[in-house]
Amino acid sequence: MTDGVKLSDQQYQLMQALWHLGEGSAKTVQTQLSHLGLAHTTVATILTRLEKKGVLISRTEGRERIFVPTVSEGEVRRSMVSSLVGTLFKGDDRQLLAHLVKESDLQQNDLDEIQKMLAEAGND
Amino acid sequence: MTDGVKLSDQQYQLMQALWHLGEGSAKTVQTQLSHLGLAHTTVATILTRLEKKGVLISRTEGRERIFVPTVSEGEVRRSMVSSLVGTLFKGDDRQLLAHLVKESDLQQNDLDEIQKMLAEAGND
DNA sequence: GCACTCCTTCTACAGCTGTAGTATCCGAAT
DNA sequence: ATTCGGATACTACAGCTGTAGAAGGAGTGC
């Protein structure tokens, strides 16, 4: 479904930590993201909001609350990319492709690689 | 520069109207976007905020205020795409390309077209 | 059992966005 | 000059995000 999950940068970071961990408490996540320098209460707040948003659920385990993603990173990526494509390119993925090809500083070997991918995609 | 212009959907719509028009008053923009059903005051508010944000400037002409974009659609696209790539793919454009190739429902002729583009890009 | 510690939940606030009503201002017509 | 009409500016409010302090609750060690 294009259920339109859309996360802010920060929110995505947190989810990413959870995707890597599989699951985890606010504390665990905060530790994992210590480079961001967020207070643990901040992390907890964001996680709570993400739960309200439906992208994760939590269970209480002893005195800890364990958060578990309910959507995969792939799903979120898909819907975020297609949302952007919707806004910027009238929903036409190919226009984004074209944009990337034009704007990216692609090296020849990148191109080769991509062409290989395209060739494989064509064989589906 | 990667000055990071980031617009919301709505804001992008308005800018798009201005890009098409070249320039225009709040009224003109609202008319152009009548399908969105926004009050003209709403359009004016958003335009004012966009000016504060620096993506357009305005000049007063008689009793009208004319808004003129200061950034091009291309620039905004570039920075929005690269912002998303930053968040979702650690800044690696090729990963977005790969994502698109995998996720998009590309037809063979799309692929041909893109491969042609890639070939051309390679000749720069 | 009691205090200590750790974790969570509640509350708070500022900034941004979506949305629009009301007030104001200024040019134009009479 | 006086009023009318249209355009803008000001104000408002709700919802979302970033951020975090303060308060509360529940193990754990003594």
Side-chain angles (χ1 to χ4, degrees), chain B residues 25-26 40-41 49 63 65:
Chain B
S25 67
H40 53 131
T41 53
R49 288 177 184 167
R63 80 261 77 179
R65 188 153 154 214

Side-chain angles (χ1 to χ4, degrees), chain B residues 5-8 10-11 14-15 18 41-58 65 67:
Chain B
V5 186
K6 224 171 156 185
L7 304 177
S8 71
Q10 204 73 228
Q11 291 171 341
L14 288 239
M15 286 303 288
L18 275 183
T41 53
T42 302
V43 173
T45 302
I46 300 178
L47 286 172
T48 301
R49 288 177 184 167
L50 286 172
E51 182 168 26
K52 195 174 303 173
K53 200 170 209 161
V55 294
L56 54 80
I57 54 175
S58 67
R65 188 153 154 214
F67 295 89

Side-chain angles (χ1 to χ4, degrees), chain A:
Chain A
M1 311 131 249
T2 314
D3 56 342
V5 185
K6 225 171 156 184
L7 305 177
S8 72
D9 251 54
Q10 205 73 229
Q11 290 171 340
Y12 193 85
Q13 303 279 305
L14 288 240
M15 286 304 288
Q16 210 164 27
L18 276 183
W19 285 318
H20 287 157
L21 293 165
E23 60 175 48
S25 67
K27 197 65 209 299
T28 321
V29 172
Q30 192 236 344
T31 308
Q32 173 109 152
L33 295 177
S34 53
H35 56 105
L36 295 180
L38 294 173
H40 55 132
T41 53
T42 302
V43 173
T45 302
I46 300 178
L47 286 172
T48 301
R49 288 177 184 168
L50 286 171
E51 182 168 25
K52 195 174 304 174
K53 200 170 208 159
V55 295
L56 53 79
I57 54 174
S58 67
R59 64 171 193 280
T60 304
E61 197 165 272
R63 80 261 75 183
E64 281 197 327
R65 188 153 154 215
I66 308 293
F67 295 89
V68 190
T70 57
V71 292
S72 71
E73 182 161 19
E75 283 176 74
V76 173
R77 278 183 179 163
R78 262 191 295 285
S79 75
M80 286 179 72
V81 170
S82 78
S83 158
L84 193 75
V85 170
T87 303
L88 301 190
F89 302 105
K90 301 199 181 70
D92 184 353
D93 283 335
R94 292 166 318 166
Q95 278 188 56
L96 173 54
L97 239 342
H99 170 95
L100 283 171
V101 170
K102 273 184 296 193
E103 305 295 346
S104 294
D105 186 27
L106 298 168
Q107 303 301 312
Q108 188 58 51
N109 56 327
D110 294 329
L111 295 176
D112 294 344
E113 210 177 298
I114 293 158
Q115 285 187 305
K116 214 174 63 194
M117 279 194 300
L118 287 170
E120 281 163 20
N123 293 337
D124 277 355

